């Protein structure tokens, strides 16, 4: 048991290191940093401009603005990590042609992908922090570091990131079966969370069936908890559509839905893996 | 065989796998058509939460549909020669007797076909689901604006493609970098004039900026808050198309020469 645990931890450690090297060693650290943060920050700017164009300024509705800004900042983890993890299989298979070698190595391929996700998480964390600091200092997003509920924030972060990684691994399993250009699936799943989880607008804006879907997704609870813990003085509960639940209840919902998604992730990955081997798609190469 | 026939056959040959490749697995069409709509729907609900006028929902639908073309230009045109190098096809293209421009033209045509399926379905579904109202009062002008946008856009893709031919992984990262910043400055989700007249003019170097602006003016009238009159935007798009395609031709020739001289045409995984 201990030997297996040690081996699994070693798999995660070295695949994270490999992921970091693959992500970053194509250029110098400054350029790499610039490339890593520009994309997500501009994604946030789009929403900020939309907000300013319609409302006339951040000060017109600071609660809604902070709601949008914090949600979008942390959604970077969903977009970057989940999408990035889903791309790992394609990258190893078709770009570097190393999937076969990695696959037959004496380790869990599932954990290999989890390890690769860690490096993406580290890079995304930097972009999230920079975006939040910009929002707090320049745009007046109301986060006071002294009032943050850190234990709850850290608990939510850990569970949420685990959840995002698991969904990413499930998507990477599906990628076993799809060609290089079919990134629409990953893009679409990310869009699903963006649409239904109250990332940039309150859940109550959605039609009732949309709210029901949102309530079944862990990202909804994750983002709600992060907002509440980071800016406890803001009345997010009043607009989010989750006002009837306490912080602890939301943490419980997050943990329960994450556990359910873990089971689904394992099942999807296992089935896709089996199907890919059966259909001979593990080494598929879509050259067109 | 005359050069013209050879090049036309090359265009057809390169376009064919793209068109057929897209239809090879029909279930993927579902994902390509419906899933991108989710992101567009999210922007529409965001506008609704802000209390935006209805016309902004139309901007999102048009911008979202055109996103497909920009992504296609970045990932299936610009980075394509880099990708061909990685997969070992580039040297085969170099050895074949046709013009490399015809390979790029074939890629563009095949890509346009595949992308149009996604873009048209996005617009149709957007109109029906979100009840977006558009006015098709000048359909021929709209078609002209659309075609000129595509011509200039894929011309830019051809130019990028030749530049990317020599690059390593930086090419991939650059394409990645050119998504959200271009969505912002080209006004994919709001009229580009809202960013300021001079920012809009500067962003017009990307054909999508004027293409989107002219199509919005034709579809939504005065509400579109256009950057320039439609005729001026079409004239600039024509100039951009000619300039990009001409530049691509020279850049391709120069980069091929440079690649051969420096031995980088077949250098993989750099």
């Amino acid at each position: 048991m201990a030997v297996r645990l040690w081996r699994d931890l070693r798999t995660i450690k070295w695949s994270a290191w490999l992921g970091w090297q693959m992500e970053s060693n194509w250029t110098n650290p400054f350029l790499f940093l610039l490339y890593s943060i520009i994309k997500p920050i501009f994604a946030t700017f789009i929403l900020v401009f939309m907000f300013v164009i319609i409302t006339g300024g951040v000060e017109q509705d600071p609660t809604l603005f902070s709601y949008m800004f914090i949600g979008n900042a942390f959604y970077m983890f969903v977009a970057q990590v989940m999408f990035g993890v889903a791309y790992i299989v394609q990258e190893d298979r078709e770009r570097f042609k190393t999937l076969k070698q990695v696959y037959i190595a004496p380790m869990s391929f599932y954990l290999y992908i989890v390890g690769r996700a860690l490096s993406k998480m580290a890079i995304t964390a930097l972009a999230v922090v920079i975006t939040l600091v910009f929002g707090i200092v320049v745009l007046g997003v109301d986060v006071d570091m002294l009032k943050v509920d850190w234990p709850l924030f850290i608990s939510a972060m850990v569970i949420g990131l685990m959840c995002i990684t698991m969904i990413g691994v499930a998507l990477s399993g599906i990628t076993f079966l799809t060609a290089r250009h079919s990134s629409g699936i990953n893009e679409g799943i990310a869009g699903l969370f963006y649409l239904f989880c109250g990332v940039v607008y309150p859940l109550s804006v959605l039609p009732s069936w949309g709210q029901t879907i949102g309530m079944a997704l862990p990202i909804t609870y994750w983002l709600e908890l992060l907002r509440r813990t980071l800016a406890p003085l803001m009345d997010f509960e009043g607009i989010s559509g989750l006002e009837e639940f306490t912080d602890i209840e939301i943490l419980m919902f997050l943990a329960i839905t994450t556990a359910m998604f873990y089971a689904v992730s394992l099942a999807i990955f296992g089935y896709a893996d089996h199907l890919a081997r059966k259909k001979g798609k593990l080494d598929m190469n879509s050259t067109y | 065989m005359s050069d013209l026939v050879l090049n036309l056959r090359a265009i057809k040959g390169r376009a064919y796998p793209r068109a057929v490749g897209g239809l090879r697995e029909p279930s993927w069409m579902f994902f390509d058509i419906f899933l991108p709509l989710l992101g567009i729907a999210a922007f529409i609900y965001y506008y609704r939460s802000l209390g935006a006028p209805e016309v902004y929902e139309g901007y999102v639908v048009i911008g979202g549909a055109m996103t497909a073309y920009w992504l296609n230009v970045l990932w299936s045109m610009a980075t394509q020669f880099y990708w061909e190098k990685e997969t070992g096809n580039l040297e085969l293209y170099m050895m074949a007797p046709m013009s490399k421009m015809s390979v790029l033209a074939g890629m563009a045509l095949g890509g346009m076909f595949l992308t149009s399926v996604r873009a048209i379905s996005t617009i149709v579904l957007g109109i029906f689901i979100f009840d977006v109202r558009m006015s098709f009062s000048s359909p021929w002008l709209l078609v002209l604006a659309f075609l000129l946008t595509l011509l200039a856009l894929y011309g830019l893709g051809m130019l990028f493609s030749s530049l990317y031919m020599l690059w390593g992984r930086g090419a991939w990262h650059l394409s990645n970098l050119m998504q959200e910043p271009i969505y912002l400055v080209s006004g994919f989700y709001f009229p580009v004039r809202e960013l300021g007249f001079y920012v809009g003019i500067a962003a017009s170097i990307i054909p999508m900026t004027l293409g989107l602006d002219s199509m919005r003016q034709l579809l939504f009238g005065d509400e579109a808050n256009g950057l320039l009159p439609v005729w001026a935007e079409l004239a600039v798009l024509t100039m951009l198309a000619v300039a990009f395609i001409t530049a691509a031709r020279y850049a391709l020739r120069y980069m091929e020469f440079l690649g051969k001289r420096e031995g980088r045409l077949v250098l993989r995984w750099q």
Side-chain angles (χ1 to χ4, degrees):
Chain A
M1 184 73 179
V3 173
R4 187 173 169 184
L5 181 68
W6 175 246
R7 194 180 63 188
D8 288 348
L9 287 174
R10 208 172 51 174
T11 299
I12 292 175
K13 176 187 159 192
W14 287 112
S15 54
W17 176 245
L18 173 71
W20 171 254
Q21 290 296 317
M22 289 169 75
E23 298 275 347
S24 65
N25 74 359
W26 59 276
T27 186
N28 66 62
F30 175 72
L31 201 61
F32 170 70
L33 184 69
L34 202 66
Y35 272 56
S36 303
I37 60 173
I38 282 183
K39 185 182 156 79
I41 286 176
F42 268 84
T44 306
F45 280 165
I46 293 174
L47 295 165
V48 171
F49 270 97
M50 288 164 83
F51 190 95
V52 171
I53 287 167
I54 301 302
T55 63
V58 175
E59 66 285 351
Q60 300 299 320
D61 193 342
T63 308
L64 187 60
F65 183 78
S66 297
Y67 182 98
M68 175 280 287
F69 197 92
I70 296 173
N72 189 65
F74 283 97
Y75 181 78
M76 284 180 203
F77 281 112
V78 181
Q80 303 290 318
V81 177
M82 192 187 291
F83 191 84
V85 170
Y87 186 69
I88 287 170
V89 166
Q90 266 182 18
E91 191 176 43
D92 281 8
R93 183 183 66 198
E94 304 204 24
R95 194 165 167 206
F96 296 113
K97 313 262 191 274
T98 52
L99 186 75
K100 276 183 294 190
Q101 286 82 354
V102 175
Y103 193 87
I104 60 172
M107 61 175 186
S108 157
F109 192 75
Y110 190 98
L111 290 178
Y112 164 75
I113 295 178
V114 170
R116 291 279 300 273
L118 290 181
S119 58
K120 292 181 189 297
M121 229 176 256
I123 295 161
T124 308
L126 192 65
V128 172
V129 169
I130 290 172
T131 306
L132 279 175
V133 169
F134 180 81
I136 294 165
V137 175
V138 180
L139 301 172
V141 175
D142 193 11
V143 174
D144 184 344
M145 290 298 163
L146 297 174
K147 296 196 173 81
V148 174
D149 185 346
W150 288 106
L152 202 55
F153 175 79
I154 291 167
S155 310
M157 277 302 285
V158 171
I159 300 174
L161 291 179
M162 277 167 58
C163 178
I164 290 167
T165 307
M166 285 167 210
I167 299 169
V169 176
L171 285 176
S172 75
I174 292 171
T175 315
F176 272 136
L177 306 170
T178 60
R180 177 174 70 95
H181 54 76
S182 60
S183 57
I185 298 174
N186 304 334
E187 195 187 319
I189 298 293
L192 187 81
F193 290 116
Y194 199 62
L195 175 62
F196 291 114
C197 293
V199 179
V200 293
Y201 47 79
L203 218 54
S204 50
V205 174
L206 292 170
S208 59
W209 58 266
Q211 292 180 34
T212 309
I213 295 174
M215 300 281 262
L217 299 172
I219 305 298
T220 306
Y221 302 112
W222 181 57
L223 292 176
E224 176 69 8
L225 210 50
L226 294 181
R227 283 190 198 101
R228 287 188 188 186
T229 52
L230 275 181
L233 298 182
M234 284 284 194
D235 183 27
F236 293 133
E237 292 94 324
I239 61 168
S240 69
L242 295 168
E243 64 275 7
E244 63 206 270
F245 304 113
T246 64
D247 294 354
I248 298 301
E249 281 171 332
I250 292 202
L251 185 67
M252 273 174 51
F253 292 147
L254 174 63
I256 292 166
T257 48
T258 298
M260 285 160 59
F261 268 73
Y262 176 58
V264 172
S265 161
L266 276 178
I268 290 177
F269 186 84
Y271 182 66
D273 181 29
H274 168 75
L275 215 58
R277 292 173 68 156
K278 195 171 149 189
K279 291 190 171 184
K281 288 195 169 184
L282 264 187
D283 200 25
M284 178 169 64
N285 198 0
S286 40
T287 54
Y288 50 89
Chain B
M1 190 188 296
S2 74
D3 278 358
L4 178 67
V5 175
L6 177 71
N7 286 322
L8 286 175
R9 285 184 63 188
I11 291 173
K12 185 186 163 198
R14 190 60 190 88
Y16 178 79
R18 290 225 160 163
V20 170
L23 303 170
R24 199 177 68 172
E25 177 59 65
S27 63
W28 296 347
M29 292 289 275
F30 170 82
F31 297 113
D32 277 341
I33 290 171
F34 286 99
L35 294 186
L37 208 61
L38 298 174
I40 292 168
F43 277 110
I44 288 178
Y45 280 116
Y46 179 53
Y47 267 139
R48 284 185 184 176
S49 75
L50 299 176
E54 273 184 22
V55 70
Y56 279 83
E57 296 178 16
Y59 299 161
V60 171
V61 170
I62 296 297
M66 295 305 285
T67 305
Y69 289 104
W70 181 243
L71 290 175
N72 188 254
V73 163
L74 284 181
W75 295 106
S76 297
M77 284 296 295
T79 48
Q80 189 64 30
F81 272 173
Y82 158 71
W83 185 259
E84 303 287 11
K85 186 167 63 172
E86 295 283 291
T87 54
N89 283 344
L90 189 62
E91 51 263 50
L92 301 178
Y93 287 141
M94 294 300 156
M95 285 188 288
M98 77 289 166
S99 156
K100 312 302 174 285
M101 284 297 281
S102 54
V103 175
L104 288 174
M107 272 169 16
L109 281 177
M112 276 182 212
F113 167 76
L114 201 58
T115 310
S116 294
V117 173
R118 174 174 163 177
I120 291 168
S121 56
T122 299
I123 292 175
V124 171
L125 288 170
I127 289 172
F128 280 109
I129 296 173
F130 299 107
D131 195 23
V132 169
R133 297 204 177 105
M134 300 175 190
S135 147
F136 293 91
S137 55
S138 312
W140 293 112
L141 210 51
L142 184 66
V143 170
L144 182 67
F146 176 70
L147 291 179
L148 282 175
T149 306
L150 287 198
L151 202 61
L153 205 56
Y154 280 85
L156 180 67
M158 287 177 176
L159 178 61
F160 279 155
S161 185
S162 56
L163 299 175
Y164 278 32
M165 192 160 63
L166 299 187
W167 289 1
R169 278 184 287 161
W172 193 89
H173 288 280
L174 189 66
S175 279
N176 210 14
L177 192 70
M178 283 198 291
Q179 289 183 199
E180 278 74 6
I182 300 297
Y183 293 165
L184 175 66
V185 298
S186 288
F188 271 74
Y189 302 110
F190 48 79
V192 71
R193 203 186 175 98
E194 303 280 6
L195 293 172
F197 180 76
Y198 292 106
V199 175
I201 291 294
S204 299
I205 190 70
I206 305 289
M208 192 59 93
T209 309
L210 293 182
L212 266 173
D213 200 63
S214 58
M215 283 188 274
R216 277 192 190 127
Q217 288 189 61
L218 292 167
L219 286 168
F220 302 105
D222 293 340
E223 284 182 294
N225 193 13
L227 186 69
L228 297 171
V230 172
W231 64 265
E233 294 189 337
L234 297 189
V236 175
L237 279 174
T238 309
M239 285 189 279
L240 286 176
V242 173
F244 285 142
I245 293 171
T246 310
R249 186 179 161 82
Y250 286 105
L252 193 59
R253 202 179 298 167
Y254 179 69
M255 289 298 162
E256 186 182 342
F257 166 74
L258 208 63
K260 285 175 179 169
R261 194 178 68 183
E262 296 180 4
R264 287 163 66 186
L265 273 187
V266 290
L267 195 62
R268 290 202 242 170
W269 302 318
Q270 50 180 321

